[in-house]
Amino acid sequence: MPNPGPYVNYMKPYVDAVWAKYATEDLIFDSGDAGVWQGRVQGEQLIMTAVTGGFQGRQAIITRRPTTQEVFEGKGVLDMDVQDGTTDKLVQAQICAALNRHVIDISTPMSDNRTGPTIRNTTSSRRATIMPSSGISRGSA
């Protein structure tokens, strides 16, 4: 078996923090035309329900916290038909992208002039956000 290297658990602390926070608080995100999704970690599963849009009332599941490799490559539990292949993969792709960019807030809730919570944290890339900003800033990246 090849040596997994020094970064095999690179995403683990962040993924663990996301799973811990959203076991006791709702994770809410806007997926554009796919609607607003809301849910929590139950046991080891992240279970989300569409609360608006064309998928309203349907659920999506991530069966366990993903590994670093699953987050980086969008595979495994982040590319899996669980109970509704369409919604499962829709939410898995959104969560995968947000984890990769470190934009799921793991601190106290932040708010601004948008409706709903802002999903981001201080280690996120300035070029990546799960929700569009009202303007683009030029200068240091």
Side-chain angles (χ1 to χ4, degrees), residues 15-27:
V15 171
D16 287 349
V18 169
W19 248 242
K21 178 173 181 163
Y22 295 104
T24 60
E25 295 178 37
D26 283 348
L27 173 63

Side-chain angles (χ1 to χ4, degrees), residues 62-105:
I62 298 175
T63 59
R64 62 169 168 73
R65 56 185 88 199
T67 66
T68 294
Q69 189 172 18
E70 289 170 329
V71 171
F72 284 160
E73 297 181 17
K75 68 180 192 178
V77 298
L78 297 175
D79 184 30
M80 178 184 290
D81 290 350
V82 179
Q83 49 79 52
D84 180 336
T86 301
T87 58
D88 290 336
K89 288 186 176 181
L90 183 151
V91 167
Q92 291 163 3
Q94 295 288 318
I95 297 297
C96 180
L99 288 170
N100 258 299
R101 293 166 179 86
H102 279 76
V103 294
I104 299 176
D105 182 32

Side-chain angles (χ1 to χ4, degrees), residues 6-15 68-69 72 100 102:
Y7 302 108
V8 67
N9 291 313
Y10 179 78
M11 297 294 287
K12 186 177 182 351
Y14 178 62
V15 171
T68 294
Q69 189 172 18
F72 284 160
N100 258 299
H102 279 76

Side-chain angles (χ1 to χ4, degrees), residues 102-106 110-112 114 118-122 124:
H102 279 76
V103 294
I104 299 176
D105 182 32
I106 57 172
M110 299 186 303
S111 63
D112 54 21
R114 297 180 210 139
T118 301
I119 300 178
R120 64 177 175 220
N121 78 20
T122 57
S124 66

Side-chain angles (χ1 to χ4, degrees), residues 46-57:
L46 176 60
I47 302 174
M48 304 293 293
T49 303
V51 294
T52 67
F55 295 106
Q56 188 169 0

